[in-house]
Amino acid sequence: MASTSSLALSQALLARAISHHGSDQRSSLPSFSRASASSRRRNAASMSKLRSLRPLVRAAAVDTLEPTTDASIVDKSVNTIRFLAIDAVEKAKSGHPGLPMGCAPMAHILYDEVMRYNPKNPYWFNRDRFVLSAGHGCMLLYALLHLAGYDSVLEEDLKSFRQWGSKTPGHPENFETPGIEVTTGPLGQGIANGVGLALAEKHLAARFNKPDAEVVDHYTYVILGDGCQMEGISNEAASLAGHWGLGKLIAFYDDNHISIDGDTEIAFTENVDQRFEALGWHVIWVKNGNTGYDEIRAAIKEAKAVTDKPTLIKVTTTIGYGSPNKANSYSVHGAALGEKEVEATRNNLGWPYEPFQVPEEVKSHWSRHTPEGTALESDWNASFAAYEKKYPEEAAELKSIITGELPAGWEKALPTYTPESLGDATRNLSQQCLNALAKVVPGFLGGSADLASSNMTLLKAFGDFQKATPEERNLRFGVREHGMGAICNGIALHSPGLIPYCATFFVFTDYMRGAMRISALSEAGVIYVMTHDSIGLGEDGPTHQPVEHLASFRAMPNTLMFRPADGNETAGAYKIAVTKRKTPSILALSRQKLPQLPGTSIEGVEKGGYTISDNSSGNKPDVILVGTGSELEIAAQAAEVLRKEGKTVRVVSFVCWELFDEQTDAYKESVLPSDVSARVSIEAASTFGWGKIVGGKGKSIGINSFGASAPAPLLYKEFGITIEAVVDAAKSFF
């Protein structure tokens, strides 16, 4: 029996989430009798060319995983997956049937014979993870979840594929459908997420497993396609996976040679096998992914035997397998087959069942996964209970990571500052916060894109996460911003208490914006530490000086864009970022030294915008000056000039617009009274968006062009980001 605490652990995870086999003897390849002769010749030539390009990669070994059932049930299960996808796409008149039809065999073997999971608790910690990087083929995944017994994908959900309010959207969304690990669709993101998931497993296993107790032990499986392979992010992530030796990452490459524009030979002829071998992966080729079930089983067995490197299993398949007229063509990639072709495919594959019908023997066969999954989780709970008794400190840390419950009083570790404290660049103040947090938050880890000494992100109490030292917490991403962001998404989505951060120069978010958007969409609370936040970085010039970036991230939904002005605001930003596990946070930090300002506070940051100084009464200042980051100091100094001239001036820090938007109308009125239209904002960035803060009569001082190469003080003067400019703008109201 599992202890009460371990049972509560699984129940808490579920509640937390809810609140928000023979081969060659079996059958021959269906005949695609209606395909044209020229098409058949082209396909044969393509296969011949393919084989000539891959001479160094052996086929899967003969040794196989033991088939768990007879061939007829495997065939029916595979075809059930195909036709659930076909029927759903046909009913929606929209979708991508080709990939599910081609990948059904490998997917069936994974979900029915290999993977460990509990359909009734999709958030069981020690489950195997599966990522469909080629997310457009999501009906493959919905069909698998339906057959396996997940409550999130019932028959009515399949019938409402791609419809408003459905649990089966047009690409997999982890926040909509329990059982989906990560949100995929933009090609290449999923394989990078998979690297993050596998990294998390390796890290936690190294930290918490004991010679007599293995409580972290699961695999990450990925299916990716030609499009994923073409995207640069997949190479960035695969390079790191090879470097880190992520032996429990097994990726299936759906090698079908078809993309939206046609045969991949028009744009993609590289040797993928040799590239992955060069990246440090073990590579296996399954030549017959259509009916070679034993080849697939053998490949998985071989992959699991290789523990020091990730494995790419290239599975050569036919896109749209079974469709007499559209298989092996781009026309089956992203459109419904059409009524006539659906009927022809049913005849070709000998499928007499009605749309969405699951044969009883298939239903019965898959039904075992519910009791088996419950037993797997129960066994793990018992193991964890024994572990907890023997290793209480480690168990407490791991439990914090599994549940996302932070240690009591963790926020007290954050540093605080007074106006007498030494001024410093907010990137340096950020490093103080990072190191303080790492000591008290068990799941805190991260790193930089080859800029740790500039971003100031090194955790001094820990070493580097490397192949031989996976228990360490400094992640060295190299110059791979896009891959870095997506890997951190995978880490964040592995367990609620894993809190990854990653860093680069703010301008280089352009390289990783796709991953940052997926952070926001998939509710992955990654912390983005972005330094060199303005023209204040100086001589490196406009290539490195962000101008439009603040405005662009403020426009991104479910994203917190912080620009702290000093130490207290930096600490306040981290306090929020750590607690916001379903919202990514971006911290734009200065290179230049800034003073510790009077009136700033950790508590103020929680409001997003707050008053740091005010000599008015009755909530009626003559003018309100609003600033962020390094320009808050300028606003404060301008206020002193105006006050000496007898004016009442309120200075407001607008450190995070999104948090201010969440406040009550009464609070907003107390900071920005509607009767006061005399407002001036100052920020060394684009003025785009400031109109909603200063109003129609207000004035915004900023930069609406690219920067320049010169010392920072001169740049501020030349671009008019000065005390004088603020004073003049304020006086225009009097």
Side-chain angles (χ1 to χ4, degrees):
M1 286 291 292
S3 72
T4 302
S5 62
S6 60
L7 284 172
L9 181 61
S10 292
Q11 291 163 355
L13 272 176
L14 183 57
R16 178 188 180 98
I18 291 173
S19 67
H20 177 100
H21 305 94
S23 71
D24 294 336
Q25 293 87 4
R26 305 166 19 279
S27 62
S28 60
L29 203 89
S31 62
F32 303 136
S33 56
R34 299 186 188 178
S36 68
S38 61
S39 173
R40 290 194 296 271
R41 285 194 299 271
R42 183 171 66 251
N43 295 338
S46 177
M47 284 300 297
S48 175
K49 179 180 178 182
L50 170 69
R51 293 188 181 99
S52 69
L53 285 172
R54 276 81 169 182
L56 300 179
V57 181
R58 65 192 179 288
V62 175
D63 192 18
T64 68
L65 296 172
E66 289 300 319
T68 60
T69 190
D70 63 67
S72 64
I73 289 295
V74 175
D75 275 337
K76 275 196 173 179
S77 290
V78 168
N79 280 332
T80 298
I81 294 167
R82 288 181 175 129
F83 281 100
L84 287 176
I86 290 169
D87 295 339
V89 172
E90 193 64 28
K91 187 174 187 299
K93 303 302 180 188
S94 171
H96 300 75
L99 182 145
M101 295 167 72
C103 289
M106 68 178 96
H108 161 81
I109 290 171
L110 268 180
Y111 264 81
D112 188 51
E113 301 180 15
V114 177
M115 287 176 55
R116 294 159 53 91
Y117 55 88
N118 181 3
K120 299 309 175 187
N121 181 8
Y123 306 102
W124 169 43
F125 168 72
N126 205 40
R127 68 192 181 277
D128 289 333
R129 271 71 169 175
F130 174 77
V131 176
L132 183 61
S133 188
H136 55 273
C138 56
M139 267 309 306
L140 173 73
L141 190 43
Y142 299 146
L144 292 165
L145 295 177
H146 177 64
L147 291 176
Y150 284 77
D151 295 330
S152 54
V153 185
L154 305 177
E155 183 177 332
E156 55 263 35
D157 298 305
L158 297 176
K159 291 179 177 178
S160 62
F161 178 53
R162 287 184 161 229
Q163 304 308 302
W164 176 263
S166 135
K167 291 292 183 185
T168 50
H171 288 84
E173 298 173 2
N174 63 293
F175 53 92
E176 286 287 357
T177 316
I180 304 294
E181 299 289 350
V182 299
T183 296
T184 58
L187 295 175
Q189 294 283 338
I191 178 62
N193 295 164
V195 172
L197 291 168
L199 180 154
E201 192 278 342
K202 182 165 185 169
H203 173 68
L204 295 177
R207 279 177 64 181
F208 295 107
N209 284 349
K210 304 292 182 182
D212 62 343
E214 195 170 67
V215 290
V216 183
D217 177 23
H218 49 267
Y219 283 83
T220 301
Y221 299 97
V222 180
I223 290 179
L224 70 159
D226 290 305
C228 295
Q229 294 283 19
M230 294 183 215
E231 289 285 359
I233 185 176
S234 64
N235 196 73
E236 291 182 17
S239 176
L240 282 166
H243 171 73
W244 286 327
L246 301 181
K248 286 188 174 177
L249 173 62
I250 300 175
F252 294 79
Y253 166 31
D254 177 26
D255 174 44
N256 65 38
H257 295 271
I258 297 293
S259 62
I260 292 176
D261 280 353
D263 195 300
T264 54
E265 67 185 9
I266 65 175
F268 187 60
T269 55
E270 68 186 48
N271 190 315
V272 174
D273 309 327
Q274 291 181 358
R275 173 161 62 88
F276 270 74
E277 286 181 332
L279 293 174
W281 288 57
H282 180 65
V283 179
I284 307 167
W285 182 15
V286 172
K287 295 180 180 179
N288 178 12
N290 298 325
T291 60
Y293 301 148
D294 279 347
E295 287 185 61
I296 296 169
R297 293 184 182 110
I300 295 170
K301 184 171 183 177
E302 181 179 334
K304 285 191 167 187
V306 177
T307 60
D308 63 340
K309 59 179 67 176
T311 295
L312 180 76
I313 302 176
K314 183 182 72 173
V315 186
T316 299
T317 66
T318 301
I319 190 172
Y321 180 89
S323 169
N325 302 299
K326 295 188 175 182
N328 202 38
S329 73
Y330 68 89
S331 61
V332 78
H333 169 83
L337 293 179
E339 186 177 340
K340 290 183 179 180
E341 189 65 13
V342 170
E343 185 62 29
T345 304
R346 275 182 152 76
N347 292 335
N348 192 38
L349 291 178
W351 195 250
Y353 303 97
E354 294 297 314
F356 299 102
Q357 183 179 352
V358 177
E360 286 303 318
E361 56 268 48
V362 172
K363 206 179 286 185
S364 175
H365 173 72
W366 280 79
S367 67
R368 77 187 193 285
H369 288 291
T370 293
E372 286 180 359
T374 301
L376 286 170
E377 182 172 357
S378 179
D379 290 346
W380 183 85
N381 284 338
S383 297
F384 186 80
Y387 178 89
E388 192 171 22
K389 288 180 180 178
K390 196 166 186 180
Y391 306 103
E393 291 183 8
E394 291 92 335
E397 280 201 359
L398 180 55
K399 191 180 292 186
S400 172
I401 291 170
I402 292 172
T403 64
E405 295 177 7
L406 295 167
W410 67 273
E411 71 280 0
K412 295 176 183 176
L414 287 166
T416 57
Y417 306 85
T418 69
E420 291 70 42
S421 302
L422 289 175
D424 208 343
T426 51
R427 62 171 175 164
N428 294 332
L429 299 167
S430 164
Q431 186 176 42
Q432 295 174 23
C433 293
L434 290 171
N435 279 274
L437 289 168
K439 293 177 182 177
V440 296
V441 179
F444 200 73
L445 74 168
S448 169
D450 197 47
L451 289 168
S453 60
S454 290
N455 300 143
M456 309 306 291
T457 50
L458 194 68
L459 300 179
K460 298 177 182 179
F462 299 95
D464 291 348
F465 176 98
Q466 296 289 358
K467 186 174 184 177
T469 54
E471 71 279 3
E472 300 292 352
R473 293 205 238 169
N474 285 299
L475 305 180
R476 302 288 189 170
F477 290 104
V479 190
R480 302 181 182 92
E481 286 89 354
H482 201 182
M484 173 177 71
I487 288 169
C488 284
N489 285 339
I491 296 171
L493 293 172
H494 181 279
S495 294
L498 283 177
I499 305 177
Y501 67 88
C502 60
T504 186
F505 290 172
F506 193 28
V507 75
F508 296 142
T509 55
D510 289 344
Y511 284 127
M512 61 194 294
R513 186 173 298 270
M516 297 174 80
R517 187 176 188 274
I518 292 294
S519 295
L521 178 61
S522 62
E523 301 178 350
V526 177
I527 301 175
Y528 291 94
V529 183
M530 303 290 109
T531 69
H532 297 61
D533 70 334
S534 73
I535 58 168
L537 66 87
E539 292 85 349
D540 276 345
T543 59
H544 284 52
Q545 293 165 353
V547 172
E548 73 280 16
H549 297 69
L550 286 167
S552 70
F553 285 115
R554 286 168 181 157
M556 187 177 286
N558 193 37
T559 301
L560 296 178
M561 180 68 249
F562 293 95
R563 191 164 184 251
D566 63 4
N568 285 330
E569 290 202 338
T570 302
Y574 274 110
K575 181 181 177 183
I576 297 295
V578 167
T579 58
K580 292 281 190 178
R581 291 298 75 231
K582 292 190 175 183
T583 300
S585 297
I586 306 169
L587 279 69
L589 304 167
S590 75
R591 179 193 185 196
Q592 71 271 35
K593 185 180 292 188
L594 302 175
Q596 310 294 350
L597 296 171
T600 60
S601 69
I602 291 175
E603 296 74 24
V605 174
E606 294 176 7
K607 300 291 189 181
Y610 66 105
T611 299
I612 69 165
S613 69
D614 188 3
N615 67 329
S616 70
S617 60
N619 202 25
K620 293 183 179 179
D622 293 327
V623 66
I624 301 173
L625 307 182
V626 186
T628 74
S630 47
E631 291 72 65
L632 187 59
E633 175 194 7
I634 295 175
Q637 291 173 335
E640 289 305 310
V641 172
L642 292 166
R643 288 167 185 160
K644 288 176 182 177
E645 297 180 5
K647 302 301 181 184
T648 58
V649 185
R650 176 176 296 172
V651 180
V652 174
S653 169
F654 243 72
V655 60
C656 181
W657 293 22
E658 297 79 26
L659 290 178
F660 186 76
D661 287 342
E662 295 176 4
Q663 306 309 310
T664 65
D665 290 342
Y667 177 79
K668 293 176 186 176
E669 181 68 15
S670 74
V671 177
L672 298 176
S674 54
D675 288 342
V676 180
S677 59
R679 304 177 187 178
V680 179
S681 68
I682 180 166
E683 186 173 66
S686 169
T687 59
F688 186 85
W690 273 103
K692 84 170 195 174
I693 309 299
V694 300
K697 296 182 179 180
K699 297 184 180 298
S700 295
I701 297 169
I703 302 173
N704 292 311
S705 65
F706 290 117
S709 177
L714 180 59
L715 290 172
Y716 270 73
K717 179 182 177 182
E718 291 296 330
F719 282 102
I721 312 297
T722 63
I723 298 169
E724 294 77 16
V726 177
V727 170
D728 288 345
K731 285 182 176 180
S732 70
F733 295 109
F734 309 142

